[in-house]
Amino acid sequence: GDVRAVMRQRGTVIGRLQALVKPFGGGSNWSERLMAAPLSGGFRYNGPSETLYSFAGPAQQAVSGPIAVAADFRCVVNSPCLEGVIHGKDMVYENQAFGTRLTGMTINGRFNGDRLLIENMTAKAGDGSIEANGFISFAAAQGYPMNISAKLQKARLARSDNLGAEATGDLQLLKSAGETAILSGDLRIPEARYKYVREGAASVPSLTGV
């Protein structure tokens, strides 16, 4: 497998990808052979984060703002060896379902081994702030483990017609190999607003002679 891609914005190249997978490894089917295959290549990107987010980001959420990524990879597909950096500045995260909006978001990290090490991430959340650090692993063989810690200071987590809340405290998102991710922490929510809307039963007319 040999993949080469170029990303352009109004004719200007903002990203390049080169990936070589060969020879295929051992396994009973093509997917197992692919995941066990030696990997080499690299990725360079300097442009809007919404373009990258559109490939894998969940629905009703959005990320915008400039981001730069430079990473080289090798080893095997299901346990890659990465080396590179990632920098983002003045980014914005929005969650349409809860009305969450993080502004002025800055992220600095580096790729090391099979992990993205988030050295620091800061953002404004309403009148408060959020700081986070930790790691995310890209190793499928280990079940994509991660460990991210966040500190909230009067952070507005939700602002919509039906829900509003600010919180202060610490959170941790932890996922070990072969286990379900666990979100834990200690939050203080001095005031929250929740609106429960119940729609009455609709009146259905009975049509006769049809």
Side-chain angles (χ1 to χ4, degrees):
D2 187 3
V3 178
R4 301 173 187 268
V6 174
M7 303 177 69
R8 299 179 184 272
Q9 184 182 43
R10 298 183 180 90
T12 302
V13 176
I14 59 174
R16 293 182 181 274
L17 168 68
Q18 290 185 336
L20 181 64
V21 181
K22 73 173 186 180
F24 274 26
S28 59
N29 54 56
W30 72 268
S31 60
E32 291 182 359
R33 295 176 60 198
L34 174 62
M35 296 300 287
L39 172 69
S40 63
F43 178 68
R44 302 289 186 272
Y45 183 86
N46 189 359
S49 56
E50 52 265 41
T51 301
L52 293 182
Y53 189 83
S54 66
F55 285 99
Q60 294 189 325
Q61 300 181 46
V63 174
S64 60
I67 193 170
V69 182
D72 295 324
F73 41 83
R74 51 188 177 83
C75 297
V76 294
V77 175
N78 62 1
S79 186
C81 301
L82 306 170
E83 183 177 359
V85 295
I86 178 172
H87 296 294
K89 185 178 181 181
D90 294 330
M91 299 168 63
V92 176
Y93 166 81
E94 294 181 286
N95 187 306
Q96 299 176 6
F98 297 106
T100 306
R101 180 179 171 85
L102 305 181
T103 61
M105 185 164 61
T106 299
I107 181 171
N108 293 294
R110 57 189 176 91
F111 297 95
N112 185 20
D114 61 16
R115 298 178 175 183
L116 167 59
L117 303 177
I118 303 174
E119 297 175 333
N120 63 76
M121 190 282 287
T122 60
K124 296 179 181 178
D127 296 329
S129 63
I130 295 178
E131 299 180 7
N133 58 65
F135 75 85
I136 301 173
S137 174
F138 298 96
Q142 300 177 23
Y144 304 105
M146 66 176 68
N147 188 348
I148 300 176
S149 300
K151 181 178 291 293
L152 287 68
Q153 182 64 35
K154 296 181 179 179
R156 180 183 294 158
L157 299 181
R159 185 180 184 181
S160 64
D161 293 339
N162 298 326
L163 181 65
E166 292 184 356
T168 296
D170 300 310
L171 286 175
Q172 182 184 36
L173 180 61
L174 178 64
K175 185 180 187 303
S176 302
E179 297 182 3
T180 304
I182 297 177
L183 179 64
S184 61
D186 184 6
L187 292 180
R188 295 181 298 279
I189 303 176
E191 182 178 356
R193 173 181 54 80
Y194 177 74
K195 182 179 180 181
Y196 175 70
V197 180
R198 179 181 181 275
E199 296 183 0
S203 176
V204 181
S206 177
L207 303 180
T208 61
V210 177

